[in-house]
Structures are given as C-alpha cells and as structure tokens.
Amino acid sequence: MSAAVSPLMPTYGRLPIALTHGQGCRVWDNEGREYLDALAGIAVNTLGHAHPKLVPALQDQVAKLIHTSNYYQAPLQEQLAAKLVELSGLTNVFFCNSGLEANEGALKIARKFGHQRGFDTPETLVFEGAFHGRSLATLSATANPKIHEGFAPLVPGFVRAPLNDLPAVERLLDDHPQVSAIFLETIQGEGGINPARIEFLQGLRRVCDERNLLLMLDEVQCGIGRTGKWFAHQWADIQPDVMPLAKGLGSGVPVGAIVCGPRAAGVLTAGNHGTTFGGNPLAMRAGIETLSIMETDGLCAHAAAMGERLKTALAAGLAGVAGVREIRGHGLMLGIELDRPCGALLQRGLEARLLFSVTAERVVRLLPPLIVTAAEVDDIAARLIPLIQTFCAEAQS
Ligand SMILES: *Cc1c(COP(=O)(O)O)cnc(C)c1O
C-alpha cells in the first residue's frame, strides 16, 4: 500500500517489510523472507517470539480473564509486584501500560514529594541526551530538540545537567533549591547507548541522600535483565527511590511499572493517580511468566555472556575500520557509534536479513532477545560487520 492512501497517521518512517510471525530470534515477512532479530521490538521481546512457555500461559490467561479494572482486588498484580520487590529490593509497585506512563507517574511522585517538602514550584533534574517518552511532561524531560519541536509550551520544572558530571549536578542543585528529584536513564537508550558511570550513579545516590531528593532511574529500556543483571543500576550496587519499567517486562504484552523504595512509595495516595488498563490480568500474567522463565532459564547470566560474546566479536571485526568511533553498552544493549549519520544501514540490514536500529543518527543499536544463542550472536556479528565495513569504506571515499 502506498503511503498516500494509508489510513494511518504519518508518524513513522517505516521500513518496507511487514512481519507476520516469528520463532525465537527469527521473524518472517509476508513474502516468506526470514530475518534474524537483533532488535527485539526495541528491547521488548525479552523471550523472543512465540516462546514455548509464554504462549500457552498467555492463551490460558486470555481464556480466563483479560481485564477487570482496578475497582477490585488484583491478585496477579500482587504476585508480579512481589516478584519485582524481591528482585529490586524496593518496596511497592504501581502498574501502568507503557514507558512514558511509568515516567509520567514518576514525575508526579517527584512533584508531590517536592510539595510535601514545602516547595511551591518543585523541579526535577534531568540530563543531556535523555529520552523519557512522548507525553507532554516526558517529552519536556527529554533532551532532544527534535522531539520538542512543535509542542511548546513545554511542561516547566526541569533543570538539565550534563551526564556523568557530578560537580555540575551539585552546582545546579545549589542554584535550584526546589529540585526534589534527579531523573535519568541508567543507560541512555535513544540518546545513543550512553551509560551513566558507576561512580556517577553512586555519587548521585549520595547526593540524593544528603539533600533528601528522590533518585529516579528510568530503566524502561535497560531493565529486566538486558544488561546481565535484573536492573542496570545493580552494577553500581545502589538502589533508586523510583524505578520506571516497561519495555521488556511483558515480553511483548504492554506492561509498565513504577517500582518505589521507602522514600517514594507512600507519596501517591488514594485519588492521586490511576489507570483503566494498568495491571490487567493479561499484562500481569505476561510479566509473571516473563520473570519466571528468565529466572528458571538463567537469562540474566545468559544475557551477560551473550553480550560479552557479541561485543568481543564486533570489536574484533570492526577493529581498525575508519569511521567506527566506539562500541559501548552492557550485556545485550550495545551501540556502535560511527562518525557520520548511518540511517542508510537499516535498508542494507534488511537485505542482509538482519533487524537492528539506528539511534541518535549515528549509533547502530543492538538489543536482541535475551534468549539469543551463541550461534545467533555469531550470526548477528557476521551479518553486521561487513555492512558497517562497506558503509564506512564508501563514505570514506
Ligand atoms: C522507550 C522508552 C520510553 C518510552 O516508553 P514508551 O513505552 O514508548 O512510552 C521511556 N524511557 C526510556 C528510557 C525508553 O527507552
């Protein structure tokens, strides 16, 4: 169908393939072509496609109960919340449907926490390179001017700091005494796979404790085992006060969550926040089964090992390629930064039957399902390396 007659709004630049089904890390399009999936629907399909344990669990749930509303007791929410509390060491959970919703809720917590501290115009400290979503508040927290364009006036109350610069954060906090929360992605995803350094995270934790602020870590993309630990901040051996989650939590079924520790868990009270769909039985079952399969199959350790393998293969294959600036990230959240825009690689990826994305214009982003096998990792590297080599050589000449 040509774009001109599509009944969809023209919000996406879509690649010219239509996927119809998948199995593990493979997907097929409507012309029967097979692709290797190194994107997992942007870190969503934790268990790949058509997982043999997830599919029957979801079928069972669909046949029992899909939705009821939050008017009633929610035992499946309790069950998934208990698991998230156990894995994170935090205390309470609110369920919603997406990443921006989880972040929007976190920003409401930050505002109300500020008012409880007596601030009349509480502010939230956010970072350069950040992406937090597309609602008015979360796009205002996002750094990318392209995402702001056309949507002024932005939501006020954000102060922006450079990432990984603790003295700059402390100076801004001194200048902005009504900041009530520090909000960042533990590893920036859309911004180009930029990790917050371990010492920076530990420094932010200390600063938040000294000044009674909320440390809010957006783990929508980097959470749920992707970096090789349940949550990316666990590499820094710290705990946030608020942790929004979404993407990988339901393995493809939309689930968002705001996981809170003691400083934040009691801030929102009856009547402060709510959602119709959030926490419905189908979504909860998807989350419960995803975490349970991940645990039984040791997928965090597996993601760490497969991520190491992929990074090593890419580093070897791309060593000395002029135009490759850096390979970075943790576990199965990897970025290859080139010295120039590389969106053109996506089409060539399709020709090589490999799905990945390009973010921040010049970063090739890999987010394969956590079930990816060693052979598939080698295959991803074998398909991607020549694409990048050729692209860089052409652009060079
Ligand atoms: C994807 C993403 C979001 C937004 O999630 P949606 O489900 O698309 O609303 C927010 N924060 C981060 C870090 C993300 O990667």
Side-chain angles (χ1 to χ4, degrees):
M1 194 190 282
S2 85
V5 298
S6 173
L8 298 175
M9 289 198 226
T11 50
Y12 302 102
R14 296 176 190 272
L15 290 166
I17 61 165
L19 301 171
T20 55
H21 60 291
Q23 184 69 65
C25 292
R26 318 253 145 196
V27 284
W28 286 266
D29 71 13
N30 56 6
E31 294 184 22
R33 292 176 292 223
E34 181 185 316
Y35 301 84
L36 185 53
D37 184 1
L39 183 62
I42 321 180
V44 168
N45 300 298
T46 305
L47 304 176
H49 304 275
H51 190 282
K53 289 192 228 163
L54 182 64
V55 169
L58 293 180
Q59 285 170 331
D60 171 69
Q61 189 59 48
V62 166
K64 278 184 181 147
L65 199 60
I66 295 175
H67 177 81
T68 54
S69 97
N70 285 303
Y71 283 169
Y72 312 106
Q73 297 295 309
L76 293 179
Q77 286 188 29
E78 305 262 351
Q79 196 183 327
L80 181 54
K83 194 69 204 174
L84 289 170
V85 161
E86 177 200 319
L87 298 174
S88 65
L90 301 179
T91 59
N92 296 82
V93 184
F94 176 90
F95 288 109
C96 53
N97 311 288
S98 67
L100 84 79
E101 273 181 80
N103 286 337
E104 188 83 21
L107 291 170
K108 284 178 71 176
I109 292 173
R111 282 265 174 102
K112 194 171 173 208
F113 181 76
H115 284 291
Q116 287 176 342
R117 289 198 47 197
F119 304 159
D120 46 3
T121 52
E123 295 181 299
T124 300
L125 189 85
V126 293
F127 288 87
E128 290 166 9
F131 178 84
H132 295 296
R134 302 287 197 147
S135 67
L136 281 170
T138 58
L139 80 82
S140 303
T142 292
N144 188 342
K146 279 192 195 147
I147 287 174
H148 296 165
E149 211 177 290
F151 302 111
L154 299 185
V155 172
F158 294 105
V159 178
R160 201 170 297 283
L163 190 67
N164 290 322
D165 185 346
L166 197 63
V169 167
E170 299 213 70
R171 279 196 300 277
L172 280 165
L173 291 175
D174 291 339
D175 293 345
H176 293 266
Q178 300 211 32
V179 167
S180 62
I182 297 180
F183 184 36
L184 70 156
E185 297 155 83
T186 315
I187 300 179
Q188 291 181 344
E190 305 308 304
I193 314 291
N194 306 311
R197 284 198 210 101
I198 282 179
E199 321 80 68
F200 183 65
L201 290 167
Q202 291 167 342
L204 292 180
R205 179 67 277 173
R206 183 171 38 72
V207 164
C208 285
D209 289 340
E210 285 165 4
R211 300 180 187 234
N212 189 23
L213 312 178
L214 299 179
L215 179 60
M216 311 205 301
L217 295 179
D218 178 349
E219 296 231 2
V220 167
Q221 189 165 150
C222 62
I224 315 293
R226 181 135 297 273
T227 66
K229 290 206 188 269
W230 287 103
F231 307 107
H233 66 264
Q234 291 172 334
W235 291 106
D237 209 13
I238 57 156
Q239 284 186 343
D241 300 299
V242 180
M243 174 172 62
L245 296 173
K247 290 193 166 88
L249 179 52
S251 241
V253 177
V255 195
I258 314 169
V259 188
C260 288
R263 197 175 295 175
V267 172
L268 296 179
T269 54
N272 279 169
H273 200 49
T275 155
T276 300
F277 288 121
N280 84 30
L282 177 62
M284 294 300 96
R285 188 72 183 271
I288 291 164
E289 296 296 337
T290 297
L291 297 182
S292 149
I293 293 165
M294 284 178 70
E295 197 161 45
T296 311
D297 295 355
L299 289 186
C300 286
H302 181 72
M306 291 303 103
E308 233 2 86
R309 186 180 181 101
L310 184 52
K311 205 176 186 180
T312 305
L314 294 169
L318 295 172
V321 174
V324 175
R325 279 217 177 125
E326 193 183 14
I327 302 171
R328 57 179 180 256
H330 291 299
L332 291 171
M333 182 172 186
L334 296 176
I336 304 160
E337 183 177 336
L338 305 187
D339 64 356
R340 58 187 76 103
C342 57
L345 278 172
L346 295 175
Q347 179 61 40
R348 299 186 193 189
L350 296 184
E351 286 151 21
R353 306 285 186 261
L354 181 66
L355 305 186
F356 57 89
S357 81
V358 167
T359 190
E361 282 185 351
R362 41 189 81 196
V363 180
V364 174
R365 177 172 52 171
L366 300 173
L367 300 162
L370 304 193
I371 55 154
V372 70
T373 63
E376 286 162 340
V377 161
D378 297 348
D379 199 356
I380 292 170
R383 293 184 200 205
L384 186 61
I385 288 165
L387 286 186
I388 294 180
Q389 283 170 336
T390 308
F391 180 79
C392 287
E394 283 168 10
Q396 210 68 25
S397 55

